[in-house]
Amino acid sequence: MERELLLLGLLRRSDMHGYQLHEFIERNMSTCTDLKKSAAYYLLEQMEGRGWVRVSGELAEGKRPPRRIYTITEAGEAAYQQLLRENLAQAHTSVFPGNVGLAFLSDIALDEAIALLRQRRAALQAQADAVAHAPPHAGSLQYLIDHQRHHLHSELAWLEQVLNDLEQRLKGDLT
Amino acid sequence: MERELLLLGLLRRSDMHGYQLHEFIERNMSTCTDLKKSAAYYLLEQMEGRGWVRVSGELAEGKRPPRRIYTITEAGEAAYQQLLRENLAQAHTSVFPGNVGLAFLSDIALDEAIALLRQRRAALQAQADAVAHAPPHAGSLQYLIDHQRHHLHSELAWLEQVLNDLEQRLKGDLT
DNA sequence: TTTTCCATGTAACTCGTTACATGATTTC
DNA sequence: GAAATCATGTAACGAGTTACATGGAAAA
């Protein structure tokens, strides 16, 4: 329900059409979350079926497909209130599939493991830089971005620790 | 490919059947990852189709379904080596769908927001405790568990920060 | 004696991605 | 004139979950 929470939260601020919603998320939240265009359209239709949103207008400009402007309904507002509370109260167990490799780190020679993790560190650093340079946002959206920043720093610190550990061991092996 | 990496890594250590693999993951890695039984069976069949593993024996005990023991093949070993390297070198962009709510924190009254986040903190703390009390593991599996521990502590620290911030603001409002 | 564990497997379903199609409009 | 943008939508596919079926063995 996280995706519908996101859409409802944005629609609550102002009516938008699908393309616009996707664009906003892409522009302002890409470091924290993502929502493909097709998924956005799909979710909007589905939520319309549930009565959470309704099409409040169809603006045709030229001969391109008319913009379908969505508005949140009362039922949608109620759903939003509940989803938001659930979301805030829960601690979702975070699973990092990208880290399974760590469990098998010792299957690789020390020096190669170090080289690989340095690559990872560089990529992670790039992500951290991207978030750092993101322009500040009004309201609590900033919390989400700050969280991502915090998380990336934590990941970098941990990786640094592992690298130090491995480098120490490498030294030990050579002497 | 993370799940196949996981299975290959385990099969490389010793031949196992599906149930056993699932059980091992459940027992020893449940705080970091998960793999449903049906998914395990499905992946094993699929990997067998790719020639990454083969059934090296069928042990029938009594009249229950015979254990299908899987062994990693040479092709599987090659795949493993590559998957592992890819996995270690990449920094997977971590997306936390569970946190979208934070972007809408200001839609809720301060005192209720605080109460909700305290619930979240308690749940998070419980997770951290679970990882802390997990018995130590041989080999680099420990890295994975340590990472999870590190991550949970980072999350707790950040949440504490947000709560402090909100509590400060609540004080300000009351005076 | 009832429940849980062992061990496999299948079918239906949900969710989301990819890749496409349309066609005007703006930008390079 | 080619390419990217705007704006919607569909169809096919893939991965994973849920829920079920089987049936003996061990534990409560």
Side-chain angles (χ1 to χ4, degrees):
Chain A
M1 292 285 97
E2 289 92 4
R3 301 164 106 87
E4 19 281 270
L5 174 60
L6 176 57
L7 293 177
L8 287 176
L10 294 179
L11 285 179
R12 234 172 69 95
R13 306 204 169 160
S14 65
D15 299 351
M16 292 200 233
H17 57 273
Y19 194 91
Q20 209 176 354
L21 282 160
H22 170 257
E23 199 183 40
F24 181 90
I25 294 167
E26 190 88 339
R27 286 248 168 86
N28 303 297
M29 312 176 71
S30 63
T31 51
C32 309
T33 191
D34 77 316
L35 186 72
K36 297 280 185 300
K37 243 184 273 179
S38 52
Y41 287 124
Y42 171 71
L43 285 171
L44 284 170
E45 268 180 38
Q46 202 186 282
M47 289 169 73
E48 193 184 0
R50 284 194 201 129
W52 290 3
V53 298
R54 67 187 166 78
V55 178
S56 57
E58 297 223 355
L59 284 182
E61 214 172 297
K63 273 168 199 172
R64 59 175 65 149
R67 302 173 170 175
R68 310 195 54 175
I69 315 284
Y70 285 91
T71 306
I72 190 168
T73 65
E74 268 183 50
E77 174 66 22
Y80 172 74
Q81 294 295 337
Q82 175 156 15
L83 288 177
L84 178 53
R85 278 161 180 78
E86 277 173 20
N87 186 281
L88 288 173
Q90 277 179 11
H92 303 74
T93 47
S94 21
V95 169
F96 300 98
N99 283 339
V100 254
L102 294 169
F104 305 115
L105 198 61
S106 55
D107 287 351
I108 290 189
L110 260 184
D111 56 343
E112 196 185 356
I114 290 172
L116 291 165
L117 289 183
R118 283 191 182 142
Q119 280 185 52
R120 174 187 276 232
R121 181 178 54 184
L124 206 52
Q125 187 65 59
Q127 282 181 39
D129 290 347
V131 181
H133 295 132
H137 272 280
S140 42
L141 212 176
Q142 194 60 40
Y143 278 122
L144 193 57
I145 294 163
D146 283 345
H147 172 268
Q148 193 70 7
R149 209 189 320 262
H150 189 272
H151 165 67
L152 289 171
H153 283 146
S154 150
E155 287 287 286
L156 273 168
W158 177 79
L159 192 52
E160 209 63 54
Q161 215 176 282
V162 174
L163 273 168
N164 279 335
D165 179 31
L166 297 181
E167 281 158 4
Q168 281 305 316
R169 276 207 257 161
L170 187 62
K171 271 189 199 165
D173 283 3
L174 293 178
T175 57
Chain B
M1 294 284 98
E2 289 91 4
R3 300 165 108 88
E4 20 283 269
L5 174 60
L6 175 57
L7 293 177
L8 288 176
L10 294 178
L11 285 179
R12 233 173 70 96
R13 307 205 168 161
S14 64
D15 299 351
M16 293 201 232
H17 57 272
Y19 195 92
Q20 209 175 355
L21 282 161
H22 170 258
E23 200 183 42
F24 181 90
I25 294 167
E26 190 88 339
R27 286 247 169 85
N28 304 296
M29 312 176 71
S30 63
T31 50
C32 309
T33 191
D34 77 317
L35 186 72
K36 297 279 185 302
K37 243 183 274 180
S38 52
Y41 288 123
Y42 171 70
L43 285 171
L44 284 170
E45 268 181 37
Q46 202 187 276
M47 288 169 73
E48 194 185 0
R50 284 196 200 127
W52 290 4
V53 298
R54 66 186 167 78
V55 177
S56 57
E58 296 222 355
L59 284 182
E61 213 173 297
K63 273 169 200 172
R64 58 174 65 152
R67 300 173 170 176
R68 311 195 58 188
I69 315 283
Y70 285 91
T71 305
I72 190 168
T73 64
E74 269 183 50
E77 173 67 20
Y80 172 74
Q81 294 295 337
Q82 174 157 18
L83 288 176
L84 178 53
R85 278 160 180 79
E86 278 173 20
N87 186 280
L88 288 173
Q90 277 178 13
H92 304 74
T93 47
S94 21
V95 169
F96 301 98
N99 283 339
V100 253
L102 293 169
F104 305 115
L105 198 62
S106 56
D107 287 350
I108 290 189
L110 260 183
D111 56 345
E112 196 184 355
I114 290 172
L116 291 165
L117 289 184
R118 283 191 182 142
Q119 279 185 54
R120 175 187 278 232
R121 181 178 54 185
L124 206 52
Q125 187 66 60
Q127 282 181 39
D129 291 347
V131 181
H133 295 133
H137 273 279
S140 43
L141 212 175
Q142 194 61 39
Y143 279 122
L144 193 58
I145 294 163
D146 282 345
H147 173 268
Q148 193 70 7
R149 210 190 318 263
H150 190 272
H151 166 67
L152 288 171
H153 283 145
S154 152
E155 287 287 286
L156 273 168
W158 178 80
L159 190 53
E160 208 63 56
Q161 214 175 284
V162 174
L163 273 167
N164 279 336
D165 179 32
L166 296 181
E167 281 157 4
Q168 282 305 317
R169 275 207 259 161
L170 187 63
K171 271 189 199 165
D173 283 4
L174 293 177
T175 55

